[in-house]
Amino acid sequence: MSLDPDVLVAILLMALATYLCRAGGFFLMRFVPITPRVEAGLRALPIALMGAILGPIAWNGGPAEWVGLLVAIVVMRLTKNEFIAVLLAIAAVAGIRAF
């Protein structure tokens, strides 16, 4: 398997853009007073992002994807850990597709 140089450049530029967005966000948040309302908004971001990523997939998918989205939402609410939610959602979709 070989990697096209254009693809490698695209991946590296996307990684750089991602880093700059995150670093910029951390820098700018130094100037934002953390009120209860801001804290609530920051706590809601992971589940909102999970829904934004998985929602269109579930909308265009079938029962396996619907179950995966449901698993991701429930696990996120119970554990507050998006990594575990993604792993279990992937396992649910893969398990359903296997049968």
Side-chain angles (χ1 to χ4, degrees):
M1 178 173 126
S2 64
L3 184 62
D4 184 9
D6 292 336
V7 172
L8 180 61
V9 168
I11 290 170
L12 293 174
L13 287 175
M14 287 186 286
L16 177 64
T18 300
Y19 172 76
L20 291 175
C21 285
R22 291 189 68 121
F26 281 120
F27 174 74
L28 291 175
M29 283 304 294
R30 292 176 40 197
F31 304 106
V32 176
I34 304 297
T35 64
R37 189 176 190 125
V38 171
E39 186 174 352
L42 291 173
R43 288 187 188 278
L45 273 176
I47 192 115
L49 291 173
M50 191 70 66
I53 292 167
L54 297 178
I57 294 169
W59 181 264
N60 295 320
E65 287 79 11
W66 301 334
V67 170
L69 177 61
L70 183 63
V71 167
I73 291 170
V74 169
V75 172
M76 279 285 298
R77 292 298 238 174
L78 293 175
T79 66
K80 307 283 193 257
N81 188 323
E82 56 273 349
F83 184 70
I84 292 172
V86 169
L87 287 179
L88 292 178
I90 291 170
V93 172
I96 292 170
R97 287 184 180 175
F99 296 110

